[in-house]
Amino acid sequence: MASAIVPVASAKSFSDVPANNEFEPFIDALSDTGIINGYPDGTFKPGAKLTRGQVVKMLGRWVESNGAEVPADWNSVQRFNDVPVNAADQELVKYAALVKDAGVFSGSNGKLMAGNNITRQQMAKVLNGAFTAVNGTSLVDLADDIDNKLVTDLASAQQEFEGYIQALVDLGISTVSVFRPSENVTRAQFAKFLYNTINLDASVSASVKAINNTTVEVTSVKLDKTNVTL
């Protein structure tokens, strides 16, 4: 499992994220590790809607920090039709190649659509993909033996995302019964979601044993409670 990230007193606090902000410890913890960044003016813009391109960079940095190698041909072989290798944002090009090859982002009809906002149901899928790339097993698999918690609006999600949403709720990565699948994610909310995902091995006490090369069994689970609403 990946190493946990623990909130600490940070020198990278942002001018628009005061200490009494409920998301501040998680924003600062991820900032300290270099997984998320703010803006040149010293702000984080916690209430701003998150774009798909921003998620690609954050998840790419996390996956890379846990041993995944950026493909050697990232700047010569195009992965998405709308992300040319000579694009001005070379960090996006690099991490787009990494997350595509690692199975984190599949895109839509060959496009990444980096400037589009990401929805909560789409976020659930890519968090599952990133966790799988880092840990070798998926959130869906870890949640398989846990009794499903109530998600009152699960039926409003597109069917392909239902399992990912249920896993986030069952594992305590999300703590609400109304998930709002089609709503956009804010930058602050995503920091908490990502922090919870990265620290899942700290918040879920599990005995995992390999049954064979493709199956794992979770024999015991203890969920950590949180008062932060996502």
Side-chain angles (χ1 to χ4, degrees), residues 18-58:
N20 62 352
N21 184 298
E22 62 179 337
F23 296 104
E24 184 265 348
F26 314 107
I27 292 171
D28 279 358
L30 294 177
S31 177
D32 286 341
T33 64
I35 291 175
I36 62 175
N37 294 323
Y39 292 87
D41 63 357
T43 63
F44 183 76
K45 297 181 174 43
K49 294 176 181 178
L50 192 70
T51 68
R52 291 167 60 88
Q54 290 170 340
V55 176
V56 164
K57 291 180 183 180
M58 294 179 199

Side-chain angles (χ1 to χ4, degrees), residues 86-226:
N86 62 349
D89 190 344
Q90 286 290 286
E91 185 182 28
L92 176 63
V93 176
K94 178 176 72 172
Y95 286 126
L98 175 56
V99 298
K100 179 66 161 60
D101 288 10
V104 178
F105 258 83
S106 57
S108 178
N109 296 318
K111 295 182 177 181
L112 178 60
M113 298 179 291
N116 287 11
N117 295 324
I118 193 166
T119 64
R120 291 167 67 91
Q121 61 186 353
Q122 292 168 342
M123 175 202 66
K125 180 179 180 179
V126 297
L127 284 177
N128 181 79
F131 186 88
T132 303
V134 169
N135 295 286
T137 189
S138 71
L139 297 172
V140 173
D141 286 340
L142 286 181
D144 187 54
D145 287 345
I146 302 174
D147 290 338
N148 285 342
K149 293 185 176 182
L150 177 65
V151 184
T152 59
D153 57 348
L154 187 62
S156 69
Q158 295 179 32
Q159 187 173 7
E160 67 173 300
F161 300 115
E162 289 182 0
Y164 305 120
I165 293 170
Q166 189 68 63
L168 292 192
V169 175
D170 290 346
L171 292 168
I173 293 171
S174 176
T175 59
V176 296
S177 60
V178 182
F179 188 79
R180 310 187 305 278
S182 62
E183 290 188 14
N184 296 134
V185 186
T186 69
R187 287 169 56 82
Q189 289 170 341
F190 186 74
K192 175 63 175 178
F193 276 119
L194 181 54
Y195 177 90
N196 278 351
T197 301
I198 292 172
N199 285 277
L200 189 61
D201 55 330
S203 62
V204 178
S205 300
S207 174
V208 181
K209 65 178 182 179
I211 304 302
N212 53 41
N213 290 335
T214 59
T215 306
V216 296
E217 178 182 348
V218 179
T219 58
S220 64
V221 175
K222 179 181 179 181
L223 295 179
D224 185 29
K225 304 297 183 181
T226 177

